[in-house]
Amino acid sequence: MATPRKQKKSPYTADRSTPGAFEGETVTRRGFMTTGALAVGGVASAAFGLPALGFALGPNFSRTEPHTYQDVGPIADFNPTTYTVKIIDLVANVADSGKTTVYVRKYDKAIDGDKNSDLPYVAISNRCMHLGCPVRYIQAAQRFICPCHGGVYGPLGEVTGGPPVRPLDRFYTKVENGRVLVGARFSLDSHFKRFPHPRDPSNHIDGLWQYLYPARPTT
Ligand code: FES
C-alpha cells in the first residue's frame, strides 16, 4: 500500500490559521516584534556584559610583571640557613616606587622538602599576604613579621599567625655563570602549589577560592 504524501506546510500565516495573521505575511507582527525585542535586548546585554567579562578574565591571560631575570649577586653571597636581603625592580623604569625587597637563600632539601624543589634558590617577597604591608625577617625567631596587623610567617613563608590568607609570594630563581638570578613573582596556595600568575594580597587561592578571586593587573 502506497504511503500518503505529506502535505507541504504553507509559508503564509493566514493559511496556517495563526492568530493575528494578515494576508501575505509569513511572520506575524507579534512574532516579528518579539524577535526584534529579544535581539535588541541581547545586543544591549552584550554591550554591558562583554567589557565586564573581559575586565574580569583578561588579566588571567596577561602578565604585568616583566618575565626577565635580575642579577642579585654571586652564589657565595647566599647560604641555606639565613636569608640575604636584596632589592630588585618589580616594575621597570619607575624609579624607587617600582622596587621591592626580596629575601634570598639557597634551596636545601632538608629544610624545604619538595616545595618548589626545581628552583635552586628560595626568593621570598616581603609583601604581606593580608593587605600588603612590608614584612621583615627576624633571624633569631626565624619568623617573618608584619608590623601592620600582627601577621606572622614561618621560615618558609608559611602563615603561622594573624590574618594573612596564604604563604608569602616567591620569585623564580636560576644560576648563570656563578651568579644568582631572580625572575618573575608567583603566588602559592597553602600547600605551596605554585600559581603561574601572582595574586593580590588578601586573595585566597586554595580550592574554589581561586575562582572567586580572579587575577587582575597588579604589582
Ligand atoms: S598587612 Fe600584614 S598583617 Fe595586615
Side-chain angles (χ1 to χ4, degrees), residues 45-55:
S45 302
F48 283 100
L50 289 180
L53 204 62
F55 182 77

Side-chain angles (χ1 to χ4, degrees), residues 157-178:
E158 73 278 24
V159 180
T160 57
V165 297
R166 63 173 203 259
L168 293 168
D169 284 353
R170 295 188 178 195
F171 295 84
Y172 289 92
T173 58
K174 64 179 179 180
V175 176
E176 264 178 23
N177 303 320

